[in-house]
């Protein structure tokens, strides 16, 4: 039985947990004492708790996100009712901020805030050592409940791509990243707190991507918030995929909408229609609203980029707007929506503002 279980409730089965695979890849000597078990939010909390308890772990690490906070809390409550001595460690973006106000935090033993790739292994080592020393006179000092993690550099990390198994590659979205962090300061987005931007070592990343392709991976979803920020890196990755493209391959990137220099346009135009998808976060066309939420955007360049993509490429454009931003009236939102419609994206996602910090 594993001492450590890494788990989360994905939104759907098709969404393999990228964060948990990073944690498992960086457990070092503890990796052999750990396992990864994934669920989805449509499963019953008691059923999930039963499966976790059957593993008889000493530590359970939960990845917590905006879509799974409430069902995860129900699972933790059930686990603690039945076996209160299991140590519950939380991590993820939804518990990295404002921890003092969240009910799920009250249920947990420890919360690691920030990027826990390395810190989780350190915490698990201490917790397991504490268990071993409880019966001796050399008991270790307890860990605090809230444990901040320093931002790791990619050079410190083991990349997790070999932990995608054959079933993942055949049936699930393969998440990858070329960078972490975001240079923008948008008030509505937790990513604005993740600075500075750090680039993955390109030769190492491309080696992992090649192995995934060799194993049959066809769909790659990059989670970078600003994939086209570093033009040299983004062009190299696009050229890598273009050289190896086969029918059925699909690549998703989240793009800065007003940044599409000629160096990127040239390679983008060479991809077959429908093989590239760009998620473009516009959020608002109202410059006053943009100023209030600290969203910097050049609307003329943005519109020129849209026209180029629609007229000269086969890129599928997914564009985002947010309703309810401060200073945005119904009339100005409608005008922005009409302006976006005129640019002819293939898909528009209208999000409702959940909150501002």
């Amino acid at each position: 039985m594993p001492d450590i279980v890494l788990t989360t409730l994905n939104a759907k089965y098709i969404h393999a947990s990228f964060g948990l695979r990073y944690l498992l890849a960086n457990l070092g000597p503890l990796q052999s004492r750990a396992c990864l078990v994934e669920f989805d939010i449509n499963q019953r909390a008691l059923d999930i708790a039963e499966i976790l308890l059957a593993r008889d772990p000493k530590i359970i690490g939960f990845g917590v996100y905006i879509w799974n906070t409430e069902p995860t809390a129900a699972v933790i409550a059930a686990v603690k009712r039945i076996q209160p001595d299991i140590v519950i460690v939380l991590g993820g973006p939804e518990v990295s901020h404002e921890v003092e106000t969240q009910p799920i935090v009250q249920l947990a033993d420890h919360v690691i805030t920030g990027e826990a790739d390395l810190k989780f292994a350190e915490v698990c080592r201490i917790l397991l050592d504490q268990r071993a020393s409880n019966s001796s006179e050399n008991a270790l000092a307890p860990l605090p409940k809230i444990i901040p993690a320093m931002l790791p550099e990619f050079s410190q990390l083991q990349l997790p791509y070999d932990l995608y198994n054959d079933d993942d590659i055949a049936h699930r979205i393969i998440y990858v990243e070329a960078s972490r962090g975001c240079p923008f300061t948008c008030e509505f987005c937790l990513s604005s707190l993740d600075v500075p931007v750090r680039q993955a070592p390109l030769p190492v990343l491309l080696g992992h991507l090649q192995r995934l392709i060799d194993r049959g991976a066809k769909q790659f979803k990059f989670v970078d918030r600003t994939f086209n920020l570093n033009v040299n890196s983004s062009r190299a990755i696009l050229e890598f995929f273009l050289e190896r493209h086969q029918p059925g391959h699909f690549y998703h990137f989240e793009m800065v909408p007003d940044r599409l220099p000629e160096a990127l346009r040239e390679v983008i135009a060479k991809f077959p229609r429908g093989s590239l998808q760009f998620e473009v976060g516009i959020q608002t066309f109202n410059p006053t609203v943009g100023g209030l939420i600290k969203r910097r955007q050049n609307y003329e360049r943005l519109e020129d980029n849209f026209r180029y993509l629609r007229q000269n490429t086969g890129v599928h454009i997914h564009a985002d707007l947010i309703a309810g931003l401060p200073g945005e009236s119904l009339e100005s939102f409608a005008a922005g929506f009409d302006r976006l419609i005129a640019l002819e994206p293939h898909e528009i996602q209208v999000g409702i503002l959940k909150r501002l910090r």
Side-chain angles (χ1 to χ4, degrees):
M1 293 293 183
D3 290 324
I4 305 162
V5 171
L6 283 160
T7 191
T8 194
L9 280 64
N10 297 315
K12 297 178 181 177
Y13 165 77
I14 198 171
H15 301 147
S17 175
F18 195 30
L20 293 189
R21 283 164 176 78
Y22 256 113
L23 296 180
L24 184 58
N26 287 278
L27 271 177
L30 293 179
Q31 190 178 111
S32 61
R33 299 170 66 181
C35 72
L36 192 158
V37 187
E38 294 176 89
F39 304 95
D40 67 63
I41 56 175
N42 296 309
Q43 294 175 257
R44 293 175 64 242
L46 286 176
D47 293 339
I48 294 172
E50 183 178 353
I51 293 169
L52 293 174
L53 290 166
R55 303 278 178 145
D56 194 26
K58 297 179 175 67
I59 302 165
I60 304 179
F62 284 88
V64 186
Y65 302 86
I66 192 168
W67 61 81
N68 72 10
T69 306
E70 290 189 12
T72 299
V75 172
I76 294 170
V79 167
K80 280 294 194 181
R81 277 197 304 272
I82 299 167
Q83 203 161 328
D85 60 332
I86 292 178
V87 179
I88 302 296
V89 181
L90 305 184
E94 201 59 23
V95 292
S96 286
H97 312 281
E98 301 175 329
V99 290
E100 65 280 354
T101 63
Q102 299 195 54
I104 191 172
V105 172
Q106 307 309 314
L107 296 168
D109 297 288
H110 304 285
V111 180
I112 302 176
T113 62
E115 296 177 18
D117 310 74
L118 302 177
K119 182 60 74 172
F120 181 71
E122 178 187 326
V123 167
C124 287
R125 270 196 306 274
I126 294 170
L127 291 172
L128 292 173
D129 287 347
Q130 284 176 341
R131 273 186 180 258
S133 67
N134 275 347
S135 57
S136 73
E137 296 179 0
N138 302 315
L140 299 173
L143 285 168
K145 179 156 189 166
I146 308 302
I147 305 168
M150 299 291 289
L151 286 178
E153 293 295 330
F154 272 103
S155 60
Q156 301 172 277
L157 300 179
Q158 295 294 319
L159 300 185
Y161 302 108
D162 292 337
L163 293 176
Y164 286 116
N165 61 33
D166 292 342
D167 190 60
D168 296 331
I169 288 174
H171 302 295
R172 309 176 86 179
I173 295 170
I174 301 301
Y175 292 98
V176 294
E177 64 179 359
S179 65
R180 288 188 185 180
C182 183
F184 300 106
T185 55
C186 308
E187 291 284 350
F188 58 83
C189 183
L190 287 178
S191 295
S192 67
L193 303 176
D194 296 334
V195 291
V197 176
R198 290 148 289 145
Q199 295 288 142
L202 195 56
V204 177
L205 174 63
L206 294 181
H208 280 280
L209 295 179
Q210 183 64 62
R211 287 202 292 278
L212 287 170
I213 291 171
D214 292 343
R215 293 174 61 200
K218 295 181 178 180
Q219 295 194 38
F220 295 85
K221 184 168 185 177
F222 279 73
V223 300
D224 310 47
R225 294 304 184 189
T226 53
F227 174 75
N228 55 332
L229 186 69
N230 185 319
V231 174
N232 291 333
S233 174
S234 51
R235 181 180 173 112
I237 291 168
L238 288 168
E239 288 177 337
F240 170 89
F241 282 126
L242 183 61
E243 290 170 4
R244 294 156 178 80
H245 181 77
Q246 297 291 329
H249 285 196
F250 179 78
Y251 323 98
H252 172 105
F253 303 98
E254 189 167 339
M255 307 291 274
V256 181
D258 56 6
R259 183 173 175 78
L260 200 65
E262 190 61 34
L264 290 184
R265 289 186 176 195
E266 288 177 3
V267 63
I268 289 166
K270 296 176 183 178
F271 276 83
R273 182 168 298 277
S275 59
L276 283 180
Q277 175 168 288
F278 290 169
E279 182 174 349
V280 183
I282 297 170
Q283 319 310 0
T284 181
F285 275 102
N286 185 324
T288 301
V289 175
L292 288 171
I293 61 171
K294 301 179 183 176
R295 175 81 175 177
R296 304 190 306 275
Q297 216 154 222
N298 185 312
Y299 292 107
E300 290 183 5
R301 284 209 301 263
L302 179 157
E303 291 179 325
D304 179 66
N305 291 338
F306 263 73
R307 285 190 288 268
Y308 175 82
L309 292 173
R310 289 296 278 128
Q311 295 168 14
N312 300 282
T313 79
V315 173
H316 183 278
I317 305 172
H318 169 112
D320 296 331
L321 288 177
I322 297 178
L325 292 170
E328 186 91 84
S329 66
L330 181 60
E331 291 75 21
S332 74
F333 179 82
F337 190 88
D338 289 345
R339 190 170 172 181
L340 180 56
I341 284 282
L343 296 174
E344 299 183 309
H346 300 85
E347 185 176 6
I348 295 175
Q349 179 172 318
V350 176
I352 306 300
L353 178 69
K354 296 172 182 67
R355 65 170 303 182
L356 292 176
R357 298 192 311 281

